[in-house]
Every structure is written in C-alpha cells, then in structure tokens.
Amino acid sequence: MEKKRKAMGGMEDADWCKKGAEVEVSLEDEGFRGSWYTATVLRTVSKKNNKMFVEFHTLMCDDDDTKPLRQFVNFILARPIPPRESARSFGLSEEVDAFHCDGWWEGIVTEVVDDSTYSLFFRSSREQIQFPQSQLRLHREWFHGQWVPSFPDPPPSPSQS
C-alpha cells in the first residue's frame, strides 16, 4: 500500500485535489493533447478507480454552450493550479504556456516581437502564433508534489533582513 501511495503522489493527503479545489486537467482526447484546462473538483479521488469528478471552467457541453462540461478524470491527469508569478519577459527557445482556445498550451518562444509580444511554435499543432505577454506563463511540470522548475523564493521582506 505504501508503494501505491508514493506512486500516486500521496493523493490521500493532497489538499489540492479535495472537493472544491481548483485544478488543471490534461485531456487525452484527440485535439486536446498537450493542453491544460482549469476545473473545480466536485468529487474527490475514488480509491477504487483513481478518478475525480470535475467541472471545467472554460469547456462547455457539446449540446449547450452555456453548461460547463463535467466529467470523471484520472487523478494522474490533474494537478494543482500553478502559483501565479509576477509579469516577466521571456527569451528565445524558452518553454512557455499560452492561454489559447480555452486552455493552456505548451509552446516555444521563436521570436521576441517587442517587449510585450512573443511568437510561439506549438509542437502539437505545428502552428506559429503571436501572443501578448499577459497570456503567457513559464512552462512548469507538476512532479512528485512539486513544480519543476521550482518557483523562485520571494525576496525577503524588510522586517526579515
């Protein structure tokens, strides 16, 4: 049992996947691979099948564009919402996530157009698209309960010096 718990990242103790938590979910369906969508956990992970029931924030049901999509997703395809970092600039060849088509898609910076616009290449779709800095974030992976690369420590406050 301990090996299974470690393999699953200790989900029993994870606050990030409890009912009401906001998470990001990767979908395995054709056309969605390589993207992450924000959702709220409606039912926690079932120990029987390792799935949680979520409601997506930006994906809607096929038959009704006003009703959010709800579905069971495998625990290993979910992660906590990455902490937001302050606005930053990006360099050539840097891996970033771009908010595009209702989700976060992994791309590579191929051109710095100006201080606040970047051209990205997406391996999954083989597209080149420009984005404002406000729609980008540094690409990170959720690995064994930590963000990789890790977020830098905030500078110490004057009272801590």
Side-chain angles (χ1 to χ4, degrees):
M1 179 65 180
E2 187 61 30
K3 281 185 182 180
K4 185 175 182 181
R5 174 179 283 163
K6 284 183 181 178
M8 294 168 52
M11 72 176 186
E12 295 87 354
D13 303 322
D15 284 337
W16 68 265
C17 62
K18 294 198 183 313
K19 183 178 179 178
E22 287 192 0
V23 295
E24 284 187 346
V25 177
S26 180
L27 302 175
E28 295 182 313
D29 300 338
E30 187 68 34
F32 289 95
R33 289 189 190 107
S35 60
W36 291 89
Y37 296 88
T38 307
T40 299
V41 176
L42 300 179
R43 274 192 255 155
T44 57
V45 178
S46 161
K47 291 178 184 171
K48 179 178 159 186
N49 62 12
N50 293 331
K51 292 190 176 190
M52 63 176 78
F53 192 62
V54 300
E55 179 178 271
F56 289 93
H57 295 184
T58 57
L59 297 179
M60 302 297 158
C61 292
D62 289 335
D63 56 350
D64 181 2
D65 280 347
T66 61
K67 186 177 178 186
L69 177 64
R70 292 178 168 195
Q71 72 181 44
F72 284 95
V73 296
N74 194 310
F75 173 77
I76 62 170
L77 297 176
R79 66 185 188 184
I81 301 286
R84 295 299 290 176
E85 57 187 337
S86 58
R88 60 165 291 180
S89 57
F90 301 98
L92 287 177
S93 301
E94 197 162 6
E95 289 187 356
V96 297
D97 294 332
F99 193 77
H100 180 62
C101 295
D102 299 324
W104 290 98
W105 294 79
E106 182 181 346
I108 298 171
V109 176
T110 56
E111 181 184 1
V112 179
V113 179
D114 59 38
D115 287 345
S116 61
T117 306
Y118 299 85
S119 187
L120 305 181
F121 176 73
F122 298 93
R123 288 186 196 114
S124 59
S125 63
R126 319 257 334 137
E127 293 177 283
Q128 181 93 17
I129 305 173
Q130 283 189 5
F131 288 90
Q133 181 179 5
S134 62
Q135 290 180 296
L136 302 178
R137 67 184 187 192
L138 183 63
H139 177 74
R140 299 181 190 282
E141 297 288 338
W142 181 247
F143 186 72
H144 292 291
Q146 295 184 15
W147 288 105
V148 178
S150 61
F151 281 84
D153 290 331
S157 66
S159 63
Q160 293 176 333
S161 315

